Amino acid sequence: TIRGPNGNSVEGPDLTQELFGTLVMYVSDIKILGGNYGAVVGVPFANFMLDFPRLDNEGASTGIALSQLYVSPVQIGWHSDKKMPIFGGGTDVVFAYTFYAPTGRYTPGAPNNTSLGMWCNELSVRATGFVDKEKNWHAAGALFYDINSKKDGVDWKQGNAINYMWGVGRNFGEPKTMLSGWAGIAGYAQWQVSSTTGTDVPVILQNNKTTIYGVGPELTALQGALTVRYLWQYGGKTSTQGSGLYVQFAMPLPF
């Protein structure tokens, strides 16, 4: 559904978005400020990408095409077994710089864009704390700050956003066996913190900022190789609001 500035439902088309792709992560033994250096590259494909839904795109045949290229050239991770209040099993912390490049299909005003037509620079800090020394219970949180550029071909600069993701879970099964994994609850929140500006920006987007929340179950199995997450969105303002299914399969590369 489409939600207006007050969270009210706005009449419009039903929207279904598919997004899939491959991510390659590298973690090295190189130390920076005591943490391990790593990097990630993702090549995603989508049927469409929208900041805020157009009300006249019902029935459009979008097709799957390349979306925004995801590159995180700097990731630094620290691991500590030092006991802390609540987290007796230690903590893991990762700092990252990421950028999203407008590599997908984009024409201003088109209903079948698979790119947002803009660059985004993102700074993030992610932390996982282990409650017990066996590290069976754990809680995680991640804070992201997105800095958006002006869109190509139009006078439109998307407002910046803060994203917060969290999760709480418990391990199950014998460690290092195929049936081991963890289960828990995950969620997120997104707040637009600066105004969207430009002469081509609809008045409703100039005067209002996006807010959306999500929560749902998460299951990871096969020694962490398979992750399935289902999130229901709520509290949406000037945004879409629905539900989403996330599936990830991970495997080590032989080099």
Side-chain angles (χ1 to χ4, degrees), residues 2-243:
I2 302 169
R3 296 287 170 171
N6 299 316
N8 55 301
S9 179
V10 178
E11 184 177 354
D14 292 331
L15 303 171
T16 301
Q17 181 186 54
E18 292 93 21
L19 180 69
F20 64 93
T22 300
L23 289 98
V24 178
M25 173 182 286
Y26 170 71
V27 179
S28 75
D29 293 326
I30 299 172
K31 296 289 186 177
I32 299 177
L33 301 176
N36 289 86
Y37 168 78
V40 182
V41 175
V43 183
F45 294 81
N47 64 335
F48 72 88
M49 295 288 286
L50 292 174
D51 296 308
F52 187 72
R54 292 169 56 87
L55 300 184
D56 57 354
N57 70 344
E58 188 169 17
S61 178
T62 61
I64 298 291
L66 180 67
S67 186
Q68 303 260 134
L69 183 67
Y70 171 94
V71 181
S72 187
V74 178
Q75 294 204 348
I76 306 172
W78 295 267
H79 309 278
S80 173
D81 292 325
K82 183 178 179 180
K83 293 183 179 181
M84 300 177 61
I86 302 178
F87 301 118
T91 55
D92 295 339
V93 177
V94 177
F95 166 82
Y97 161 70
T98 302
F99 67 84
Y100 300 81
T103 49
R105 182 173 61 209
Y106 178 76
T107 300
N112 64 340
N113 291 326
T114 57
S115 169
L116 299 176
M118 65 183 187
W119 291 82
C120 174
N121 291 283
E122 183 178 78
L123 300 174
S124 64
V125 177
R126 315 169 198 190
T128 300
F130 301 95
V131 176
D132 55 318
K133 64 180 182 179
E134 292 81 15
K135 298 187 177 184
N136 285 324
W137 286 95
H138 36 81
L143 192 65
F144 305 81
Y145 183 64
D146 294 339
I147 305 169
N148 297 313
S149 73
K150 187 177 178 181
K151 286 179 173 289
D152 293 336
V154 327
D155 185 15
W156 182 316
K157 187 180 185 302
Q158 186 70 22
N160 298 336
I162 290 178
N163 302 280
Y164 175 68
M165 302 177 66
W166 60 270
V168 178
R170 191 190 192 285
N171 296 346
F172 61 81
E174 291 296 325
K176 298 183 179 181
T177 65
M178 290 303 294
L179 296 179
S180 63
W182 61 86
I185 300 174
Y188 69 90
Q190 182 184 72
W191 304 278
Q192 183 181 339
V193 294
S194 66
S195 298
T196 299
T197 58
T199 57
D200 295 317
V201 178
V203 174
I204 189 174
L205 298 186
Q206 292 185 32
N207 296 335
N208 299 281
K209 297 181 177 70
T210 295
T211 301
I212 189 70
Y213 305 92
V215 67
E218 177 179 289
L219 174 68
T220 296
L222 306 178
Q223 297 187 54
L226 177 66
T227 298
V228 180
R229 181 186 307 134
Y230 193 90
L231 299 177
W232 289 272
Q233 292 181 323
Y234 64 95
K237 295 181 180 180
T238 319
S239 70
T240 57
Q241 180 174 303
S243 56

